Amino acid sequence: MNGTSQQGSRVIWVSYSQPAAERISADLSALGHHVICEPATSIRQLIPQAPVMGDTPKVLIFLSQHAVSGYVEYLRKPSHDAAQMIAIGSATASALARYGIVARTPDDSSSEAILKTDVVKGLQTDDLAWVLSGEGGRDLVENELGKSCRLERFVLYRRERRWPSCAMETLPEVIWVGSVQGLQQVCEILNHFKIPLQATVVVPSQRVANAASELGFDSFLISLNNDADSIRSVLRKT
């Protein structure tokens, strides 16, 4: 296997699920890197349960761009236009904007940052909040909000493991990973092709960094955002 790249460029495997994989890959390619765009997970959309509480939520919190289309198809109502919308990051806010929904984003793309927003901190006991997310995950927002207000969570997608469309013939120097499930599948793929865990892993949170350490990666970096500026910044550290 060949792990060499041109001077100043790196071999980078983007293992995020779509559509984030293509967006991150495009930004990395524009910077002159050799990019392997090969998602380690795919997204299966789920039909959510019907709301139990009949009144209109005061706040809707979207923890992933993958939760947006299911919300629009199955749960969106005109009365929601008066609610506050919070998106965990810019990609999720952009997905909502495509449906004409304006959402606020926290300073960092993390559950902790959402909990620190004025809107969330201002919720009262009788207020209703919706959390729209995928199967699994941390449940931090749900657990904390459940202590201060009424809450409903809607599971709108599931991550499923995916194998590369072709053999991994180039040794990645950096691997962009979006979730614990994706990281676990990355390890499966590397082990299958007998590739050592020597790459630097770029992860979105401390939780995924901890998982990377437990799985045997020695080098990892946290990038809370995946916009072009954040990508440049994290690559300077590798």
Side-chain angles (χ1 to χ4, degrees):
M1 297 181 186
N2 185 0
T4 61
S5 56
Q6 294 181 354
Q7 184 68 30
S9 70
R10 297 173 185 271
V11 178
I12 302 176
W13 175 14
V14 178
S15 70
Y16 269 69
S17 54
Q18 298 291 12
E22 287 188 1
R23 177 177 52 80
I24 296 169
S25 295
D27 287 339
L28 289 166
S29 295
L31 294 173
H33 299 287
H34 174 74
V35 180
I36 305 167
C37 183
E38 196 65 73
T41 56
S42 60
I43 300 298
R44 179 183 292 274
Q45 298 294 330
L46 303 176
I47 299 175
Q49 79 280 9
V52 175
M53 302 178 194
D55 47 333
T56 299
K58 184 174 183 178
V59 178
L60 288 86
I61 300 172
F62 294 82
L63 296 181
S64 170
Q65 61 183 314
H66 304 302
V68 172
S69 62
Y71 161 73
V72 171
E73 182 173 357
Y74 298 111
L75 297 170
R76 188 181 186 185
K77 292 183 177 181
S79 60
H80 293 177
D81 292 345
Q84 294 278 352
M85 304 285 183
I86 298 179
I88 193 167
S90 57
T92 305
S94 296
L96 287 164
R98 287 195 286 273
Y99 295 99
I101 301 171
V102 178
R104 299 176 54 179
T105 57
D107 293 335
D108 294 322
S109 298
S110 68
S111 297
E112 289 84 355
I114 285 178
L115 293 171
K116 292 178 182 178
T117 60
D118 293 338
V119 172
V120 171
K121 289 194 297 184
L123 288 170
Q124 303 298 312
T125 305
D126 291 335
D127 290 333
L128 174 61
W130 281 13
V131 175
L132 303 109
S133 62
E135 198 172 76
R138 300 176 62 192
D139 298 332
L140 176 64
V141 172
E142 179 183 4
N143 292 339
E144 291 300 315
L145 277 183
K147 301 173 184 177
S148 59
C149 69
R150 295 184 299 137
L151 179 72
E152 284 201 70
R153 179 192 177 195
F154 298 91
V155 177
L156 291 153
Y157 68 92
R158 173 188 300 134
R159 295 186 189 275
E160 297 184 341
R161 295 188 175 193
R162 177 184 178 276
W163 283 89
S165 55
C166 58
M168 299 285 288
E169 297 182 348
T170 304
L171 286 173
E173 301 168 78
V174 181
I175 305 175
W176 238 264
V177 176
S179 66
V180 171
Q181 298 99 315
L183 178 67
Q184 291 168 341
Q185 181 63 359
V186 162
C187 285
E188 290 283 340
I189 293 169
L190 293 176
N191 290 334
H192 176 79
F193 290 109
K194 296 181 173 55
I195 300 174
L197 306 183
Q198 295 177 345
T200 295
V201 181
V202 179
V203 300
S205 67
Q206 186 61 54
R207 174 173 174 260
V208 185
N210 292 342
S213 178
E214 291 170 3
L215 287 167
F217 287 97
D218 293 325
S219 177
F220 44 85
L221 295 168
I222 297 174
S223 180
L224 297 177
N225 300 295
N226 280 311
D227 56 89
D229 288 340
S230 297
I231 287 173
R232 289 192 191 92
S233 177
V234 76
L235 283 175
R236 284 195 290 267
K237 301 175 184 176
T238 61

